Amino acid sequence: MRRLNRKKTLNLMKELDAFPKVPDSYVETSASGGTVSLIAFTTIAFLTIMEFMVYRDTWMKYEYEVDKDFTSKLRINIDITVAMRCQYVGADVLDLAETMVASADGLIYEPVVFELTPQQKELQRMLQLIQSRLQEEHSLQDVIFKSAFKSASTALPPREDNSLQSPDACRIHGHLYVNKVAGNFHITVGKAIPHPRGHAHLAALVSHESYNFSHRIDHLSFGELIPGIINPLDGTEKIASDHNQMFQYFITVVPTKLHTYKISAETHQFSVTERERVINHAAGSHGVSGIFMKYDISSLMVTVTEEHMPFWQFLVRLCGIIGGIFSTTGILHGVGRFVAEIIFCRFRLGSYRSTSVPLPDGHSSNHLPLITENSTH
């Protein structure tokens, strides 16, 4: 009884088999078939490896929405070196919303030597090279986002030489918080003194001959400080050609939420336009000598998310590659074999030359003579 049940089950499974079967007489091995099979398997292996590399890779997805957060504070991270002594310069932020000077207590004034060491110059050249490449290849920004917290630090390394040269510059670094409205961060001669109608700088005690606003921006960013992120002004160096010179940077800040597989942070991207000119009141060029960074906050917020190909999509694409290559190579092999048979058959037919057979009535026949038993003797 058990054997009968097993036979019935096997017969039922055979009846349910919906795949077509090829007769054994149709299955023939040939050199051309083996060559096509080898090419097919090699192509499948190559495309499978390439598809796996695509599956491992990730890409950045950008989404845009209106920024509805107007109450939080904006953090500004600053590291700027000016070629003047610290007692001669002052830095502050003018908030255009409340027309007041924001507190700059978070900034540190450090006397330093403006000339860089060879190691520091090498880092600065590297940053400038990266900046030039970022302006040409915008897709490199995605690589920087994905490698955040894993890249080498972009901060300027400390000086290693024990130079006895007296400090001739002032490094202004630190961070401060301002309202999320347009503002003006500037470094000019004299310390800032706030008053009800704005603010002023004590510049009367500093001679014009000592003005030198040659500067180097080692770091300038907005929002949360993320190591490994290179900002547009990092590594910038400007040398003043005149004592009374104004450097202006017009900055547009875009709030950005960054979500990758390594980090999740709220930062800000920005674009910048530079301008510099010499202050000459006699020639009609008015203004104040110094470094002015006028920033504006964009009303749009960008959400940058790192995405990965789903595993099911990888399997579907892999099955499509295998099935497509087998089908395509089979069709090509069949067509090529058919064309080859036609060509070779024509050559074979052309190899037989027709012969003339005389007839009794004096005519001749071009048909091939029949082979009979008498003709064989």
Side-chain angles (χ1 to χ4, degrees):
M1 293 296 294
R2 291 182 179 178
R3 291 181 179 179
L4 292 176
N5 292 333
R6 291 179 180 177
K7 290 182 178 180
K8 291 181 179 180
T9 304
L10 292 175
N11 293 331
L12 180 62
M13 296 300 293
K14 291 180 179 180
E15 293 177 358
L16 291 176
D17 191 358
F19 294 96
K21 299 296 181 292
V22 179
D24 295 336
S25 59
Y26 291 172
V27 180
E28 297 179 358
T29 59
S30 62
S32 61
T35 303
V36 173
S37 299
L38 182 61
I39 294 174
F41 285 121
T42 304
T43 307
I44 289 174
F46 175 74
L47 293 181
T48 300
I49 294 174
M50 297 299 295
E51 191 65 25
F52 181 73
M53 294 176 64
V54 173
Y55 170 72
R56 290 186 57 191
D57 193 16
T58 59
W59 62 89
M60 307 305 293
K61 179 181 179 182
Y62 293 81
E63 296 178 344
Y64 302 89
E65 59 180 328
V66 178
D67 185 14
K68 301 179 181 179
D69 185 10
F70 301 104
T71 58
S72 61
K73 295 290 185 178
L74 176 64
R75 172 171 169 162
I76 305 179
N77 306 296
I78 301 166
D79 191 351
I80 302 176
T81 302
V82 186
M84 292 181 65
R85 297 185 182 274
C86 291
Q87 60 265 27
Y88 296 156
V89 295
D92 60 319
V93 179
L94 181 62
D95 190 343
L96 298 183
E98 301 179 2
T99 315
M100 63 176 293
V101 178
S103 175
D105 296 335
L107 298 179
I108 301 174
Y109 295 80
E110 179 183 352
V112 294
V113 178
F114 189 77
E115 183 68 20
L116 295 176
T117 62
Q119 182 183 4
Q120 292 174 336
K121 289 182 179 179
E122 185 66 25
L123 178 63
Q124 187 185 29
R125 282 194 295 266
M126 182 191 69
L127 288 177
Q128 292 174 352
L129 178 61
I130 294 175
Q131 295 290 2
S132 62
R133 295 296 298 172
L134 284 173
Q135 293 177 1
E136 299 175 359
E137 302 289 342
H138 299 285
S139 59
L140 292 178
Q141 187 64 47
D142 294 348
V143 180
I144 294 177
F145 281 150
K146 289 190 289 186
S147 61
F149 278 147
K150 296 190 298 183
S151 303
S153 176
T154 58
L156 196 68
R159 301 185 70 92
E160 297 180 354
D161 57 343
N162 298 323
S163 177
L164 300 177
Q165 181 181 356
S166 61
D168 58 351
C170 183
R171 179 191 174 197
I172 304 173
H173 61 98
H175 65 274
L176 47 89
Y177 292 90
V178 297
N179 297 321
K180 292 185 67 173
V181 293
N184 180 8
F185 170 77
H186 52 270
I187 302 174
T188 186
V189 179
K191 303 299 181 181
I193 300 178
H195 58 83
R197 293 188 178 182
H199 75 292
H201 288 265
L202 290 176
L205 301 179
V206 183
S207 62
H208 289 277
E209 287 74 16
S210 61
Y211 287 12
N212 185 4
F213 284 100
S214 300
H215 61 280
R216 183 177 60 252
I217 303 176
D218 296 323
H219 180 79
L220 178 69
S221 64
F222 297 83
E224 184 178 348
L225 187 60
I226 302 177
I229 298 296
I230 299 177
N231 298 278
L233 287 176
D234 292 355
T236 301
E237 185 178 45
K238 298 291 184 180
I239 303 299
S241 58
D242 192 270
H243 295 291
N244 295 327
Q245 193 160 349
M246 173 189 290
F247 296 92
Q248 292 178 307
Y249 299 91
F250 301 93
I251 300 173
T252 301
V253 183
V254 181
T256 304
K257 290 183 178 180
L258 183 61
H259 301 286
T260 67
Y261 290 103
K262 297 295 182 180
I263 62 171
S264 180
E266 294 186 3
T267 181
H268 291 72
Q269 302 179 83
F270 66 90
S271 60
V272 59
T273 302
E274 304 176 11
R275 183 188 177 190
E276 58 182 81
R277 60 187 175 92
V278 177
I279 303 300
N280 189 351
H281 299 285
S285 178
H286 304 288
V288 179
S289 302
I291 305 168
F292 296 86
M293 298 182 178
K294 299 180 180 180
Y295 60 89
D296 193 6
I297 311 297
S298 175
S299 59
L300 293 179
M301 180 176 62
V302 182
T303 302
V304 185
T305 307
E306 185 178 7
E307 291 192 347
H308 190 276
M309 181 188 296
F311 183 71
W312 64 267
Q313 187 175 355
F314 169 71
L315 291 180
V316 171
R317 291 165 65 100
L318 194 61
C319 293
I321 289 174
I322 297 175
I325 291 178
F326 271 123
S327 302
T328 304
T329 53
I331 294 173
L332 294 177
H333 179 249
V335 173
R337 189 172 182 179
F338 176 73
V339 173
E341 289 179 355
I342 293 177
I343 295 174
F344 290 142
C345 286
R346 287 182 178 178
F347 283 140
R348 289 174 183 175
L349 291 175
S351 63
Y352 293 98
R353 296 181 179 179
S354 60
T355 59
S356 300
V357 180
L359 297 177
D361 55 359
H363 296 82
S364 61
S365 174
N366 293 327
H367 296 284
L368 294 175
L370 296 175
I371 301 174
T372 61
E373 293 182 356
N374 297 327
S375 62
T376 59
H377 296 287

